[in-house]
Amino acid sequence: MVVAVRAIFLLVMLLLVLPASAAPLVKVEIFNNTYNESLTVLEPTNDSNWIRMIGGSNIVIPSIKMVYNGINSTQYVKNNKTVKITTYGILKDQDYTVDYPFTKHPFYHAGDSVSAEILSTSDLNGSTVHIYLVRTYPTELKNALASAVDGDTQQLRNLLSNAFNYTNVTLNSTGDATVSFGVLPAGDYVVVATLNTSTESNITLISATAFEVLEHESTLSVSDVTRSSVSDNKFVSGTFTITGGSSNANYTYIAALVKKTAYSVELRLESSGNKSTTHLKANNAVLVDSFKIGGVGLKNVNATTVYNWIKNAFPSSSASLAKTRKQGNSWDFSLPVKGLPDGDYYLNIGAWNSSNSSQRLVAFSQALVKVKTVAPAPAPAAPAPAPPPPETLLEAPSEFISSLTKTISANVETEIPISSEMTERTGLLEMTVKLPETATVTVTISKVKELPAKVSAPPAEVYIFFEVKFTKYGTTEEVEPSGYIDFKVSKDWVESKGYTPAQVVLMKYNGGWKELKTELVDEDENSYYYRAEVESFSIFAVAAKPVKPTPTPTKTPVVIPTTPPAMPTATPTLTPTATPTVTPTPTATPIPPTPWYLQPTTLLIIVLLVAAFLVAAYTLRRGK
């Protein structure tokens, strides 16, 4: 972490005065009456205008998002020179975001070979790129960039001209190139890639990145943490040792334990163009406060500032830190994890030489630590109450009973298996049920021997009676799921009784017999297979309902009286003069009203609603 923070800080220095952006992204022009010079920064994208370090030992760095919000251009006079800063693609007071594309960053030790890969765009293929390896400190680089923005580029040019190593390479067809620096002495370095030499008046910066060569290797021993509760007073403990470090030297040690899912940093730079409104934050940690564009106010980077950054950048709910200053090249550390959630954590430990005024980082190690909670074995539970005898749950006398226990999750269709013997006796195949809340139930299925006296026979020819009860386990309290019942009926029975398969139906008794929605779903050589919908369970009958005969229209005879009526009536009977042939009028079958969902007005409303939804969805997609 500390190596990452230090390297990130060097990267940020390049972005402070030149907020990263378009192609070109930022251009600084300096001119007076006698000369004109400029510094242009190309826009970093997901895969271009970056430098990736190669070799060494890779550490996992936090995912980094760089955000700039503030002015997008300014012009001022400094030291009798006009300085003009122009950005491209950055909108004033709107977030401009760049995601750092790498998840790992190397650090090096004595004897490691250092290389870098320049990643540019195919537009620059064949171009010559000038590579400067500058051995520097963050403050020195910061001051050079700040002076450039103040109109004095000499410090920056001197850094490049006096680079520890200089070379140039030709970009390949994809705009990439690799350069090797060999073995380097311990120190802080910055790799700068430009399209021009440091002596030219106009310099275009492709990218820059920072890395460190550490003085010492180190070892880190640490164990995972297992606890019985999140509130346990447990620690991530181990030993960090500086290989080759002096046992008499004073070192400042920092350990940072950060949850893997929280291992990310947003570097946010905001500025209205003056000192008091310019701030840089890493998450909630203030890295730079009141930074004037001219470069005033940055502090030296040492162990204390790094510790404070980490402490403020990661919430205490996802991180644990420790810091100590001691004599000797070994540290037995201990980081509390009480209250921290379970999961994987990155452990980063670094050591600074306290005897050095610059407090250089001299050693670093990283490990992945797992924190997990294992609850103690629960005390043996009291035995569950035994379910009551199945017979006590039924309404009708039984010829054969089967019973099982099943846990049904809320609003999840659950299959209730039927034993082969029950299938053989009743034709029941399976039940699928659903409950509004999770419950463990006893399912009792019975082939009914005879109907109770209070239950009348159904108005159909019965194939089989059966009964199903759902009760809460260990009680007689009934549970009422809904669902389906699958069953089969012998073809021989249907045909011998003179019925068709469509006449078979499942009926349920509930104060009277009710015909349930029954669907013929399949057949084979011996049986017809059905599925019926049920809203609750009780006594059922698989039966064949007779087809109601179609009523034959009755002719109305025409009576012709031959004698006058025996008694006079108030209204005389008219004798027809002719006997018409009367066509019998059949009793009209009433036409049911059109269902609501087929009425023209309702259909029109539904069509309009669907159309409106599709238009809204299309508009939203277009707007993204």
Side-chain angles (χ1 to χ4, degrees):
M1 168 70 74
V2 283
V3 171
V5 169
R6 197 169 171 89
I8 291 167
F9 182 79
L10 286 168
L11 290 170
V12 170
M13 293 305 100
L14 297 170
L15 301 171
L16 276 173
V17 291
L18 303 170
S21 203
L25 174 61
V26 180
K27 186 172 185 179
V28 180
E29 296 174 276
I30 305 167
F31 49 89
N32 61 15
N33 294 330
T34 59
Y35 71 98
N36 186 313
E37 59 181 325
S38 69
L39 173 64
T40 302
V41 180
L42 297 184
E43 176 190 18
T45 65
N46 288 339
D47 55 4
S48 62
N49 298 331
W50 296 99
I51 297 175
R52 175 165 51 202
M53 300 306 300
I54 304 173
S57 302
N58 277 314
I59 63 166
V60 178
I61 62 174
S63 60
I64 301 171
K65 181 185 294 292
M66 293 175 279
V67 182
Y68 172 75
N69 186 302
I71 61 170
N72 61 348
S73 63
T74 187
Q75 181 171 315
Y76 51 91
V77 176
K78 189 79 172 179
N79 299 326
N80 297 320
K81 299 175 185 176
T82 299
V83 180
K84 180 181 179 182
I85 301 177
T86 307
T87 64
Y88 303 85
I90 297 178
L91 301 178
K92 183 180 180 182
D93 298 328
Q94 293 189 26
D95 283 0
Y96 180 83
T97 302
V98 177
D99 290 316
Y100 191 63
F102 309 125
T103 59
K104 295 182 178 181
H105 193 77
F107 58 87
Y108 304 89
H109 300 101
D112 289 340
S113 181
V114 180
S115 298
E117 185 178 12
I118 314 301
L119 303 174
S120 189
T121 66
S122 58
D123 295 344
L124 294 178
N125 74 86
S127 299
T128 298
V129 175
H130 303 270
I131 311 297
Y132 298 91
L133 177 64
V134 180
R135 188 176 183 182
T136 183
Y137 290 95
T139 50
E140 185 179 17
L141 178 62
K142 175 268 302 179
N143 290 334
L145 289 168
S147 293
V149 175
D150 272 351
D152 179 10
T153 63
Q154 196 55 50
Q155 274 189 265
L156 179 60
R157 293 178 185 278
N158 287 343
L159 275 178
L160 299 181
S161 298
N162 298 320
F164 185 83
N165 181 292
Y166 164 77
T167 187
N168 60 68
V169 293
T170 301
L171 299 180
N172 62 20
S173 60
T174 60
D176 302 335
T178 302
V179 58
S180 176
F181 301 113
V183 177
L184 301 175
D188 300 319
Y189 295 87
V190 176
V191 181
V192 181
T194 69
L195 291 176
N196 323 86
T197 64
S198 61
T199 58
E200 295 181 49
S201 59
N202 299 313
I203 299 176
T204 297
L205 177 70
I206 295 176
S207 188
T209 195
F211 67 92
E212 294 194 45
V213 179
L214 302 178
E215 293 180 38
H216 302 288
E217 294 187 9
S218 56
T219 60
L220 173 60
S221 62
V222 63
S223 300
D224 293 339
V225 173
T226 301
R227 57 193 176 182
S228 59
S229 169
V230 174
S231 60
D232 283 356
N233 197 27
K234 292 284 187 176
F235 298 84
V236 168
S237 302
T239 301
F240 174 79
T241 302
I242 304 171
T243 306
S246 170
S247 59
N248 297 319
N250 291 318
Y251 295 99
T252 298
Y253 295 93
I254 295 177
L257 184 74
V258 182
K259 198 169 190 301
K260 187 176 181 180
T261 54
Y263 202 57
S264 61
V265 174
E266 180 183 276
L267 293 170
R268 186 174 187 86
L269 176 64
E270 296 180 343
S271 177
S272 296
N274 56 56
K275 176 180 177 180
S276 61
T277 62
T278 301
H279 314 284
L280 176 68
K281 291 184 178 181
N283 293 345
N284 293 320
V286 177
L287 303 186
V288 179
D289 187 21
S290 300
F291 177 79
K292 189 177 179 181
I293 286 183
V296 179
L298 282 175
K299 301 175 181 178
N300 292 337
V301 180
N302 56 31
T304 300
T305 54
V306 170
Y307 176 81
N308 290 333
W309 288 348
I310 300 171
K311 181 179 179 180
N312 294 322
F314 299 100
S316 58
S317 58
S318 61
S320 182
L321 277 78
K323 175 189 173 187
T324 190
R325 185 175 185 273
K326 65 183 292 290
Q327 185 181 40
N329 60 343
S330 184
W331 179 35
D332 294 325
F333 61 89
S334 188
L335 294 156
V337 294
K338 180 179 180 180
L340 293 182
D342 287 354
D344 291 334
Y345 287 76
Y346 288 114
L347 173 62
N348 300 281
I349 299 184
W352 279 258
N353 186 344
S354 301
S355 303
N356 188 322
S357 59
S358 65
Q359 288 208 323
R360 253 193 57 77
L361 180 72
V362 296
F364 177 85
S365 287
Q366 183 183 73
L368 188 66
V369 180
K370 186 180 294 293
V371 177
K372 59 182 178 179
T373 301
V374 178
E391 294 84 352
T392 64
L393 306 174
L394 301 172
E395 295 181 45
S398 177
E399 180 182 311
F400 178 76
I401 297 177
S402 68
S403 180
L404 60 92
T405 299
K406 190 82 173 177
T407 297
I408 301 174
S409 299
N411 297 312
V412 176
E413 290 192 345
T414 304
E415 294 181 358
I416 306 297
I418 307 295
S419 68
S420 58
E421 188 171 358
M422 183 61 75
T423 298
E424 185 178 344
R425 289 173 179 265
T426 63
L428 286 176
L429 299 171
E430 189 177 80
M431 291 185 293
T432 303
V433 300
K434 185 166 66 173
L435 281 169
E437 56 186 33
T438 300
T440 299
V441 298
T442 297
V443 187
T444 304
I445 307 170
S446 164
K447 180 184 179 184
V448 172
K449 185 176 183 180
E450 58 184 2
L451 294 176
K454 65 177 182 179
V455 178
S456 60
E461 187 157 1
V462 175
Y463 176 68
I464 196 77
F465 288 109
F466 65 92
E467 185 177 358
V468 181
K469 288 286 186 182
F470 284 78
T471 55
K472 285 189 177 179
Y473 180 77
T475 74
T476 57
E477 181 183 347
E478 291 192 24
V479 179
E480 293 291 359
S482 59
Y484 303 94
I485 294 178
D486 295 303
F487 61 93
K488 65 179 179 178
V489 177
S490 166
K491 281 187 172 182
D492 289 342
W493 183 84
V494 175
E495 293 164 3
S496 67
K497 298 294 183 178
Y499 295 110
T500 66
Q503 290 175 263
V504 174
V505 68
L506 184 65
M507 308 182 79
K508 192 191 86 166
Y509 184 81
N510 185 15
W513 289 98
K514 178 184 177 182
E515 180 183 322
L516 303 178
K517 182 180 178 181
T518 307
E519 179 185 5
L520 175 66
V521 295
D522 202 359
E523 66 175 284
D524 58 23
E525 185 179 350
N526 301 314
S527 303
Y528 294 112
Y529 294 85
Y530 298 88
R531 166 169 278 200
E533 291 185 18
V534 295
E535 296 179 355
S536 59
F537 289 80
S538 179
I539 299 174
F540 296 92
V542 177
K545 60 178 181 177
V547 176
K548 295 180 181 179
T550 304
T552 303
T554 304
K555 294 183 179 180
T556 305
V558 177
V559 180
I560 303 174
T562 55
T563 59
M567 295 184 67
T569 61
T571 303
T573 302
L574 299 178
T575 302
T577 58
T579 305
T581 302
V582 179
T583 302
T585 302
T587 303
T589 302
I591 300 174
T594 304
W596 66 269
Y597 48 82
L598 294 180
Q599 291 175 9
T601 303
T602 306
L603 281 174
L604 179 59
I605 292 172
I606 292 173
V607 169
L608 290 175
L609 286 174
V610 171
F613 174 79
L614 292 175
V615 170
Y618 177 75
T619 304
L620 287 173
R621 286 197 299 270
R622 295 267 300 188
K624 287 184 178 179

